């Protein structure tokens, strides 16, 4: 019994010593959260609106999940007088919705498809004591740490703005309690074949020189 207690005490001492060492090196969970800022990858979606003469959908040239580039053919429309009109993609991206099918009547103003753009972004929330590390148009590395094979892509600081919704956060300073100012930082993220909206994006502020 005495030997078991000695083993338990030894394990506890090792854990305490290891935790103290990590904390001293800034590797504890709190320290990591302070400098490794995470956000959710997002992208704008564009609704393609038909803007030509009334007609009938004659041909659908794109499907859900297809990658398209600006100028790619999405639909062919047969007009009442027998001629044809083409509906083209106005952006690079991925088709996420097709709203019409062959034979459908169509008039100007009808939505026909949704294209999710490949210009990605993520929003990070940074404390006032760290915001000096980031400047508009600054290049940063954006990691996606939770993929099976984590990747790193280029990013650019697109905007920096105060985040008043975080005004209720407080911290202890030498002269009492004070509000912690937080800033919303939008990062434009380069396109990559493995990226999808909803993924976790991460920027390590410790890798950015003061």
């Amino acid at each position: 019994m005495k030997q078991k207690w000695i083993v338990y005490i030894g394990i506890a001492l090792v854990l305490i010593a290891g935790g103290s060492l990590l904390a001293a090196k800034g590797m504890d969970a709190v320290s990591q959260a302070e400098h490794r800022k995470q956000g959710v990858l997002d992208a704008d979606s564009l609704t393609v609106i038909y803007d030509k003469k009334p007609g009938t959908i004659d041909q659908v040239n794109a499907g859900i999940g297809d990658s398209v580039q600006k100028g790619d053919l999405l639909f062919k429309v047969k007009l009442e007088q027998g001629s044809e009109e083409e509906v083209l993609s106005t952006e690079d991206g991925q088709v996420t919705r097709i709203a019409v099918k062959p034979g459908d009547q169509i008039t100007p103003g009808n939505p026909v498809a949704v294209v999710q753009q490949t210009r990605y972004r993520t929003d990070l929330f940074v404390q006032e004591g760290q915001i000096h590390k980031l400047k508009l148009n600054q290049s940063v590395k954006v990691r996606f740490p939770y993929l099976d094979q984590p990747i790193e892509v280029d990013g650019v600081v697109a905007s920096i703005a105060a985040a008043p919704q975080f005004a209720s956060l407080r911290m202890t300073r030498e002269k009492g309690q004070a509000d912690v100012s937080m800033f919303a930082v939008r990062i434009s993220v380069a396109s990559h074949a493995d990226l999808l909206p909803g993924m976790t994006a991460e920027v390590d502020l410790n890798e950015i020189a003061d």
Side-chain angles (χ1 to χ4, degrees):
M1 186 68 178
K2 186 176 181 180
Q3 289 181 339
K4 286 186 178 180
W5 277 108
I6 293 174
V7 171
Y8 293 152
I9 293 172
I11 293 173
L13 290 174
V14 170
L15 291 174
I16 292 171
S20 299
L21 181 60
L22 288 175
K25 292 183 177 181
M27 295 296 291
D28 60 297
V30 174
S31 296
Q32 290 188 37
E34 287 180 352
H35 67 80
R36 290 169 56 181
K37 301 301 180 182
Q38 293 186 341
V40 176
L41 192 67
D42 199 2
D44 289 329
S45 290
L46 173 73
T47 300
V48 180
I49 303 295
Y50 183 69
D51 60 356
K52 304 179 187 300
K53 295 179 180 180
T56 303
I57 297 293
D58 185 52
Q59 187 175 326
V60 176
N61 295 80
I64 294 175
D66 287 354
S67 294
V68 295
Q69 294 183 331
K70 183 177 181 179
D72 282 356
L73 178 64
L74 300 178
F75 308 96
K76 285 187 177 181
V77 178
K78 182 172 289 186
L79 304 183
E80 294 175 354
Q81 62 269 34
S83 60
E84 281 190 339
E85 287 281 8
E86 294 183 340
V87 180
L88 308 178
S89 176
T90 57
E91 293 285 346
D92 297 346
Q94 184 180 57
V95 178
T96 58
R97 184 186 176 204
I98 297 292
V100 293
K101 62 184 183 299
D104 284 354
Q105 299 293 316
I106 189 170
T107 58
N110 288 159
V112 292
V114 176
V115 176
Q116 181 179 278
Q117 298 176 2
T118 53
R119 294 195 298 271
Y120 295 115
R121 65 177 184 274
T122 188
D123 291 333
L124 311 176
F125 293 95
V126 181
Q127 293 181 5
E128 60 181 311
Q130 300 170 307
I131 197 63
H132 67 279
K133 289 177 172 285
L134 298 170
K135 303 289 187 295
L136 285 177
N137 301 317
Q138 179 181 2
S139 296
V140 296
K141 292 297 182 182
V142 183
R143 290 193 180 90
F144 293 85
Y146 302 124
L147 299 179
D148 288 340
Q149 295 183 345
I151 60 174
E152 181 179 273
V153 300
D154 293 330
V156 176
V157 178
S159 66
I160 300 175
Q165 64 268 37
F166 284 89
S168 61
L169 292 177
R170 305 182 71 85
M171 65 180 291
T172 301
R173 295 180 177 170
E174 290 183 4
K175 296 183 179 180
Q177 298 289 326
D179 288 334
V180 178
S181 295
M182 300 289 285
F183 293 84
V185 179
R186 174 157 292 183
I187 307 292
S188 295
V189 181
S191 178
H192 190 284
D194 292 334
L195 296 183
L196 291 171
M199 290 181 172
T200 300
E202 179 181 280
V203 174
D204 192 337
L205 297 182
N206 276 0
E207 296 181 354
I208 301 174
D210 291 333

